[in-house]
Amino acid sequence: MRAMVYRGPYKVRVEDKDVPAVEHPNDAIVRVTLAAICGSDLHLYHGLMPDTRIGHTFGHEFIGVVEQVGSSVEDLQVGDRVMVPFNISCGSCWFCARGLYSNCHNVNPNATAVGGIYGYSHTTGGYDGGQAQYVRVPFADVGPVRIPDWMHDEDAVLLTDAAATGYFGAQLGDIVEGDTVVVLGAGPVGLIAAQSSWLMGAGRVIVVDHLQERLAKARSMAYAETLDYDEYDDIVVELKKQTDFLGADVVIDAVGAEADGNLLQHVAGAKLKLQGGSPVALNWAIDGVRKGGTVSVVGAYGPIPNAVKFGDALNKGLTLRMNQTPVKRQWPRMFEHVRNGHLTPREMVTHRFPLEHVAEAYHVFSAKLDGCIKPLILPDAA
Amino acid sequence: MTDPDIPSAYVRDKRTPPPTREELRARIPGWGADLDPADRPSHPKLQYPADTGAHWDFPERQPERQPRERSVEHAFVTPVFGTAQPLRGLSGVVRRFAYERFSEGRLAHWVLLVAGDRIDAWGSHLRSFATLRPDVPATGVRGELAHGGLRSRRGRSDARHHLIDPVVVAGPWVAGAAVTYTGVRRVVRALRR
């Protein structure tokens, strides 16, 4: 089969690989029909995630058709069209039993601090991902769901991570009616977080970024006010002015480890890898939220320590809430919202690349060329 | 009555009330559909799903065809695991040491894994030079032409950071080439004497 392959920082290409095999009785092999590059894939692409091995196939956002099932699979059948949560979860450990599917303890021998994720280095279990023609899907009776007939494929693929994470991020903010919510980052996760904040009763939603096309999308897709941080000497001061010097009730960090906005942090974190990513957005969240407010973190950070302003979080009495998204828990409600048009994930898709052009796709998305907000990967395109 | 110019943060209530429900519902599709915090999918954080799909108490164990590295914070190799890219070579030795010697709580664990990554990358680059498909410092750069590299960066504050990329990415390659060139030249000169 053809598969995207990591060759080192800033280097990916397409290679021939063996079609994955069933390795456990509850495995399924899925033929991928549509995949996406996630912003967090860029952390791998830039070499920020420890134990990212040469030859690894990325991709944790994908949908496809069941090609083969293991002997203990009861629910899925060959030929089913499925969407697969980015989390690999067993459904039976202490954590899964309590709904924390993203924190499963039975799928990642390499680390206890993170669950299993498709195509996301050996730190998350060493599973090849879905930017390929085929992928191994463990615990086929737990994760995958048949795609509803009415659902658009592009919505389905985005629900496997980006959209679910945006929706989850808004929930972590514990938004109450009338709250002012600031979303840092107008990428795929931030856009859905902004849409979701309204569903949870926000009275005001402000999205912060510096890329004009993304800010325009936040206005048109999420009805948000927008702030271009480049226009202000200090965005934290502007956030205070915007909120009558209170600070926002809730700030959602939808940026993560490669935040820009501070040269020293960006170079030390994202370029020279002297810390586990650049915590600029997280620090803006801590400074920009009001005292007693809530910071929701759904931007991804690596396991290496970061220079985070923890003292301010303490002194302000903040609630910090975060996790990888337990995707499947979000789906029943999100399906309703997508069907009703309250959440519109596929509005964010700007680029569609054949798998053979995956290197170009990574470069364009990484450098944010051509107004790229969300690139999809078409495994079977010529 | 306090001076209305004094901002909200210094008085009891927000000076500007939020828009009414009617205004918001008229403007925002679905506003308030998840208004009740107790009726959101991730509330409460710990909740027992009615059915996860699991029909086992503990999953059957996946065969371990070769010794699988694991975090020392795990009691055992998890019943299911990825089999992509097993440990090999010098990078494998470094990575296995990181897993066996240091817990995830130790910075050395992660620093060693990053070191393993770099050894793996450079070993692979060197091996690729003996193939018909040698590695290059960065891939996909033709996107700069096809997707408006210059146009896309115009006016962006992060463009200056992008100037660092070629140094970070190509710098080690240039240094490696220089060292190789110097070394080869010295060897050739020594042989000529």
Side-chain angles (χ1 to χ4, degrees):
Chain A
M1 68 167 184
R2 302 290 282 167
M4 167 272 167
V5 159
Y6 174 69
R7 292 294 305 172
Y10 296 83
K11 290 174 277 297
V12 299
R13 68 189 192 192
V14 178
E15 289 182 6
D16 286 319
K17 271 187 156 182
D18 292 338
V19 174
V22 168
E23 301 192 47
H24 180 275
N26 209 246
D27 280 359
I29 304 301
V30 168
R31 176 170 58 81
V32 180
T33 53
L34 188 61
I37 305 179
C38 179
S40 61
D41 286 328
L42 298 178
H43 309 334
L44 299 172
Y45 175 63
H46 294 148
L48 283 172
M49 190 68 170
D51 209 357
T52 303
R53 300 183 189 173
I54 303 303
H56 199 54
T57 296
F58 301 165
H60 54 270
E61 297 183 329
F62 60 90
I63 62 172
V65 177
V66 176
E67 196 77 7
Q68 188 185 352
V69 292
S71 58
S72 82
V73 175
E74 295 180 353
D75 185 39
L76 292 187
Q77 294 181 330
V78 170
D80 283 345
R81 294 179 65 246
V82 290
M83 49 205 288
V84 183
F86 78 85
N87 334 106
I88 301 169
S89 40
C90 73
S92 61
C93 68
W94 196 95
F95 305 95
C96 286
R98 287 156 180 80
L100 298 178
Y101 298 122
S102 51
N103 308 106
C104 178
H105 216 58
N106 270 333
V107 291
N108 178 10
N110 297 73
T112 56
V114 59
I117 301 176
Y118 295 96
Y120 209 75
S121 84
H122 277 65
T123 293
T124 69
Y127 299 90
D128 270 339
Q131 288 163 15
Q133 290 182 312
Y134 295 89
V135 61
R136 172 193 171 208
V137 173
F139 293 118
D141 282 331
V142 179
V145 163
R146 290 181 194 83
I147 301 172
D149 290 338
W150 54 265
M151 189 179 284
H152 194 287
D153 277 3
E154 293 187 355
D155 282 330
V157 77
L158 295 170
L159 281 163
T160 63
D161 180 2
T165 296
Y167 185 61
F168 181 62
Q171 289 174 75
L172 290 179
D174 284 333
I175 296 165
V176 296
E177 186 170 355
D179 272 354
T180 295
V181 179
V182 167
V183 179
L184 300 179
V189 171
L191 291 169
I192 297 293
Q195 281 192 330
S196 304
S197 297
W198 292 123
L199 303 186
M200 292 167 207
R204 197 176 170 198
V205 177
I206 303 170
V207 176
V208 179
D209 204 301
H210 72 117
L211 296 169
Q212 295 310 313
E213 60 275 6
R214 293 184 178 213
L215 292 170
K217 186 68 84 176
R219 291 190 291 270
S220 67
M221 178 177 159
Y223 307 94
E225 299 169 53
T226 57
L227 294 175
D228 174 355
Y229 67 72
D230 276 343
E231 290 182 6
Y232 304 97
D233 177 51
D234 186 332
I235 189 64
V236 168
V237 175
E238 183 58 24
L239 288 175
K240 295 289 169 63
K241 287 179 181 172
Q242 290 276 342
T243 53
D244 217 15
F245 291 90
L246 266 174
D249 299 298
V250 176
V251 179
I252 301 170
D253 170 6
V255 178
E258 299 199 49
D260 223 311
N262 177 302
L263 185 63
L264 184 64
Q265 288 269 30
H266 182 76
V267 170
K271 299 294 188 232
L272 301 179
K273 288 100 173 171
L274 299 177
Q275 55 174 336
S278 160
V280 177
L282 185 49
N283 285 334
W284 283 355
I286 289 169
D287 285 332
V289 74
R290 69 164 162 77
K291 284 179 269 194
T294 300
V295 171
S296 157
V297 187
V298 284
Y301 292 89
I304 293 176
N306 296 94
V308 175
K309 300 181 69 181
F310 204 79
D312 282 353
L314 164 73
N315 292 325
K316 292 177 74 170
L318 302 186
T319 300
L320 305 180
R321 299 200 64 199
M322 63 209 84
N323 200 353
Q324 297 277 355
T325 306
V327 170
K328 201 169 173 185
R329 201 159 139 176
Q330 319 305 317
W331 277 355
R333 186 72 58 85
M334 289 194 82
F335 286 10
E336 287 176 34
H337 290 324
V338 171
R339 192 166 201 179
N340 293 332
H342 300 157
L343 295 176
T344 56
R346 71 176 190 269
E347 252 191 271
M348 69 175 73
V349 176
T350 52
H351 291 70
R352 296 161 186 84
F353 291 93
L355 176 61
E356 294 298 326
H357 294 179
V358 77
E360 191 175 331
Y362 268 89
H363 182 80
V364 168
F365 189 35
S366 167
K368 300 177 181 69
L369 305 183
D370 203 17
C372 187
I373 297 176
K374 185 69 179 181
L376 301 183
I377 300 294
L378 312 171
D380 290 323
Chain B
M1 188 72 184
T2 53
D3 182 343
D5 288 337
I6 294 177
S8 298
Y10 303 91
V11 296
R12 182 189 157 102
D13 295 310
K14 286 187 182 179
R15 294 282 191 192
T16 311
T20 65
R21 288 182 171 189
E22 290 67 33
E23 284 175 70
L24 288 162
R25 286 197 173 112
R27 191 161 65 85
I28 313 290
W31 183 87
D34 291 322
L35 202 54
D36 179 3
D39 184 36
R40 296 172 187 164
S42 284
H43 180 88
K45 181 160 78 171
L46 303 183
Q47 65 176 245
Y48 290 83
D51 178 18
T52 66
H55 40 86
W56 48 80
D57 291 327
F58 180 78
E60 190 172 326
R61 286 183 180 275
Q62 177 181 328
E64 192 178 335
R65 299 187 200 290
Q66 61 185 91
R68 181 63 162 79
E69 75 282 2
R70 67 169 170 88
S71 164
V72 290
E73 294 178 48
H74 262 305
F76 42 63
V77 172
T78 54
V80 165
F81 50 88
T83 53
Q85 301 87 43
L87 295 176
R88 59 171 192 160
L90 179 60
S91 65
V93 172
V94 173
R95 284 164 168 156
R96 190 174 291 283
F97 179 66
Y99 281 107
E100 289 180 353
R101 176 66 184 81
F102 298 106
S103 75
E104 297 160 59
R106 304 279 292 275
L107 185 60
H109 175 87
W110 302 108
V111 170
L112 281 168
L113 288 177
V114 170
D117 288 352
R118 298 299 168 260
I119 293 167
D120 189 8
W122 276 102
S124 298
H125 298 332
L126 292 174
R127 281 193 296 280
S128 79
F129 296 148
T131 71
L132 294 174
R133 206 175 174 193
D135 285 332
V136 292
T139 57
V141 289
R142 76 172 177 178
E144 292 287 333
L145 296 174
H147 293 276
L150 284 178
R151 164 177 55 83
S152 302
R153 289 187 174 88
R154 197 164 297 139
R156 276 169 48 182
S157 62
D158 62 334
R160 65 182 190 271
H161 301 181
H162 290 187
L163 295 175
I164 303 166
D165 283 347
V167 178
V168 172
V169 175
W173 291 65
V174 172
V179 168
T180 305
Y181 172 75
T182 309
V184 168
R185 200 172 62 168
R186 282 188 182 169
V187 170
V188 169
R189 281 183 180 168
L191 291 174
R192 279 182 182 162
R193 276 179 200 150

